[in-house]
Amino acid sequence: MGILENKARARLFYKYLSTVYDQVNPFIWNEEMREDALSLLEFDAEMTVLDLGCGTGFATEGLLDHVEEVYALDQSNHQLEQAYAKFGKRAPPIHFHRGDAERLPFASDTFDVVWSSGSIEYWPNPILALREIRRVLKPGGQVLIVGPNYPDNILAQRLADSIMLFYDEYEADRMFKRAGFENVKHAFLGPSYNPDVAITTIGRAPK
């Protein structure tokens, strides 16, 4: 388990990263990648959507191009403060919550779509969190997770493993199927200098 797959350390990390997150993020996770990931989902404007690990709201903003309102959750107060500064703290169409991916503060069968980008790599127990996502999804609901693709180089792999969760499509397949998802598929995304840096996995809750 990497050093940032710990909730307290991840919160401390984002305490400092949050101040520059929106300046750094475009080099790793940009609008083109976000739109490519959004195109993998089937949207209806009236769908109920959760942005899990919303951070400063970069993905939330993209989701609002497709649906009328978004529920957005993050465990970092500092990241949420940045999101509040952009969108307002209690102003629909965004409903912000502070919470934990492993214990989502929502009723079962609530959401049509759960989206999460740049969050799974910090989850100490990703299968438990994926099962929570399945719980809050409506039958047949869609999940999309963007995480860091496992590097090919052995030295890079060792460094990656020491920091956080990196995984390939085979491990993603295993995690999603153990969590009970169906129709699991994968795509690779990235900026021009590293087009496979991110792995995007989509699936559906059983009907």
Side-chain angles (χ1 to χ4, degrees):
M1 182 177 286
I3 59 171
L4 291 179
E5 288 176 83
N6 172 283
K7 295 171 188 177
R9 284 196 290 263
R11 284 194 295 271
L12 181 63
F13 175 68
Y14 272 103
K15 175 180 179 180
Y16 299 100
L17 182 62
S18 63
T19 59
V20 295
Y21 184 86
D22 286 338
Q23 288 72 49
V24 173
N25 194 46
F27 295 101
I28 304 166
W29 173 234
N30 58 38
E31 289 187 13
E32 183 178 357
M33 293 168 65
R34 182 184 68 187
E35 295 311 305
D36 286 344
L38 286 165
S39 72
L40 299 173
L41 292 169
E42 298 172 9
F43 285 108
D44 181 283
E46 296 182 358
M47 283 180 168
T48 305
V49 175
L50 171 63
D51 182 4
L52 175 56
C54 65
T56 64
F58 177 72
T60 312
E61 192 171 21
L63 288 163
L64 284 172
D65 289 335
H66 297 269
V67 295
E68 294 178 354
E69 63 178 1
V70 174
Y71 289 77
L73 179 143
D74 203 280
Q75 72 152 347
S76 167
N77 278 328
H78 296 90
Q79 288 285 81
L80 287 172
E81 289 293 339
Q82 298 295 322
Y84 300 155
K86 287 192 283 187
F87 301 108
K89 188 171 184 177
R90 295 183 179 85
I94 305 173
H95 308 277
F96 286 109
H97 298 263
R98 184 177 181 273
D100 187 328
E102 295 176 3
R103 294 185 296 275
L104 294 174
F106 305 107
S108 299
D109 304 338
T110 296
F111 298 102
D112 299 289
V113 174
V114 175
W115 162 292
S116 183
S117 51
S119 182
I120 189 174
E121 57 265 39
Y122 301 103
W123 300 348
N125 191 331
I127 293 174
L128 178 60
L130 287 169
R131 286 174 176 160
E132 268 291 272
I133 291 171
R134 182 167 63 84
R135 179 185 67 79
V136 301
L137 273 173
K138 297 175 183 177
Q142 303 169 87
V143 58
L144 182 149
I145 305 286
V146 183
N149 190 20
Y150 202 54
D152 295 325
N153 180 277
I154 293 177
L155 290 177
Q157 289 174 357
R158 290 179 178 174
L159 177 61
D161 289 338
S162 71
I163 299 172
M164 59 180 65
L165 176 67
F166 283 72
Y167 56 93
D168 58 20
E169 68 267 39
Y170 305 105
E171 178 64 9
D173 219 49
R174 184 190 71 85
M175 291 190 297
F176 273 68
K177 288 179 178 177
R178 277 193 65 188
F181 288 104
E182 301 175 342
N183 303 321
V184 177
K185 300 175 183 178
H186 316 284
F188 296 94
L189 303 171
S192 57
Y193 64 87
N194 193 352
D196 294 333
V197 69
I199 179 169
T200 300
T201 302
I202 58 173
R204 286 188 180 270
K207 290 186 178 179

